Amino acid sequence: MLVKFSSRNTIFAVVIVALSLSVILLADNSVFGQRISKFLGTEPFKLTLQFLLVTVLGGALFALLTTRKEQEARDETKRKENQAGRDVRVANLQALDGKLAEAYRQMKSVKRRLRSRLDRSDPKRPSVAKNDFETCMDQLLAAQIAVEEVQDLIATRVDLFKNSNMSLIDGSLHYAARYLHDVFEDFEKGKITRSADSFFLDEAATPNLYDFLLKSSESGVIATQRDIIKDKNRTQEDRRAALGMIDVQRPRVGKVALECMRLASSELKLFVDAEMLRD
């Protein structure tokens, strides 16, 4: 790079000298009374002037091409840097969405696994084997922690979400995480009855577990607001307002929590698409 820079400066110096000499020769008639042409001779004078003009024109062309190449090189470097930065941002966004998707799948898996193992011989007190239940509760706790981790990462990654309103995603993740917390809390605080090697569900004592596994506590009002949340044609303000109306009601509802996780995932995908379209 230093050699190229030195060579370019040398050529520029030659061009300046050639241009200066050309000006002097061109002014020979009007300023010097043709003394230079008489001293050199007519033909040598013409050849020298032609050589100097060619040198000036060649140097100017070289300067133009060099400047253009350098600008193209800078543009290409900037493009590569932008592409590398975009690739990193896209990878980070996809990692967040992947973590959220895994938590969603884990939540669904726990629900289906427990429901498939429910003993419903007593409809009022369905039961689940102790080992199956405890294993699934551990998985549910892991899903809750994963959702909270995604929420925390989104809150701190200003490089990914600079100048973006993240309240809709944050509200969705908050609801989902708190719902999973509520379900696990029925187990953690011993609200669910254990007898021998089984756990017994009771709608009154464990409303969150009951909603998660057996009977949704979703009211008509909540269902209406949930429909607004999942409607992609609605504005973010409408969806945020609907989520706010739901979030103040207890107990939290599994159907809403699942929809919130899907909503957050779809919003993250929109950020990925926006990054892919950036120059």
Side-chain angles (χ1 to χ4, degrees):
M1 186 67 186
L2 291 176
V3 173
K4 290 182 179 179
F5 183 77
S6 177
S7 299
R8 186 180 65 177
N9 280 359
T10 300
I11 292 177
F12 283 168
V14 171
V15 170
I16 291 172
V17 172
L19 179 61
S20 301
L21 293 175
S22 297
V23 171
I24 293 173
L25 293 183
L26 289 172
D28 178 49
N29 185 43
S30 60
V31 177
F32 301 106
Q34 296 185 339
R35 284 194 292 272
I36 298 176
S37 61
K38 290 177 182 178
F39 176 77
L40 295 175
T42 303
E43 287 303 317
F45 178 86
K46 290 180 179 180
L47 291 174
T48 301
L49 180 59
Q50 289 174 357
F51 172 77
L52 291 173
L53 291 175
V54 168
T55 300
V56 171
L57 291 174
L61 181 60
F62 168 81
L64 178 63
L65 293 175
T66 300
T67 301
R68 179 177 294 179
K69 286 182 178 179
E70 289 178 349
Q71 184 61 48
E72 289 175 351
R74 286 193 293 269
D75 290 344
E76 180 63 16
T77 299
K78 185 176 180 180
R79 187 192 67 79
K80 289 181 178 179
E81 290 174 350
N82 289 339
Q83 180 65 48
R86 181 164 57 245
D87 290 345
V88 170
R89 289 192 296 274
V90 167
N92 287 331
L93 287 167
Q94 289 174 333
L96 287 173
D97 189 35
K99 183 181 287 291
L100 184 59
E102 178 59 29
Y104 177 85
R105 286 191 294 268
Q106 199 164 23
M107 179 180 175
K108 294 279 287 186
S109 174
V110 168
K111 181 174 182 176
R112 296 189 66 179
R113 179 178 176 182
L114 283 177
R115 292 185 70 178
S116 70
R117 287 161 171 74
L118 274 176
D119 181 353
R120 303 171 190 252
S121 55
D122 182 354
K124 294 184 178 180
R125 295 189 74 213
S127 62
V128 184
K130 173 182 176 295
N131 290 340
D132 284 335
F133 189 82
E134 290 177 343
T135 298
C136 286
M137 286 297 99
D138 288 343
Q139 293 173 355
L140 195 71
L141 177 61
Q144 176 205 333
I145 292 173
V147 174
E148 290 177 343
E149 183 179 356
V150 172
Q151 185 182 12
D152 291 342
L153 286 170
I154 288 175
T156 57
R157 292 302 302 268
V158 293
D159 57 320
L160 297 179
F161 306 104
K162 186 178 181 180
N163 300 325
S164 299
N165 187 343
M166 301 303 297
S167 59
L168 185 58
I169 294 182
D170 183 70
S172 299
L173 294 177
H174 173 78
Y175 188 97
R178 297 316 297 171
Y179 173 77
L180 294 173
H181 170 270
D182 293 344
V183 175
F184 185 80
E185 194 174 54
D186 280 357
F187 166 66
E188 181 183 27
K189 292 190 174 181
K191 296 179 182 179
I192 185 169
T193 303
R194 177 185 169 186
S195 179
D197 291 329
S198 296
F199 283 98
F200 292 84
L201 295 173
D202 180 271
E203 185 173 5
T206 57
N208 301 299
L209 273 168
Y210 213 84
D211 171 87
F212 182 62
L213 294 175
L214 291 168
K215 181 182 176 182
S216 174
S217 58
E218 184 181 57
S219 66
V221 174
I222 292 179
T224 299
Q225 299 305 315
R226 179 167 58 85
D227 287 340
I228 295 175
I229 293 173
K230 67 189 295 186
D231 187 353
K232 295 181 180 180
N233 293 321
R234 293 275 190 166
T235 65
Q236 283 202 334
E237 288 73 19
D238 288 343
R239 299 165 91 180
R240 193 179 301 115
L243 181 59
M245 290 180 65
I246 292 175
D247 198 27
V248 298
Q249 302 184 50
R250 298 292 181 275
R252 295 184 178 91
V253 183
K255 288 184 178 180
V256 176
L258 288 170
E259 191 57 49
C260 282
M261 293 174 75
R262 283 193 288 263
L263 173 61
S265 178
S266 67
E267 291 292 303
L268 286 173
K269 287 181 173 63
L270 289 177
F271 278 98
V272 172
D273 293 341
E275 283 292 341
M276 298 294 285
L277 293 174
R278 286 179 60 177
D279 293 331

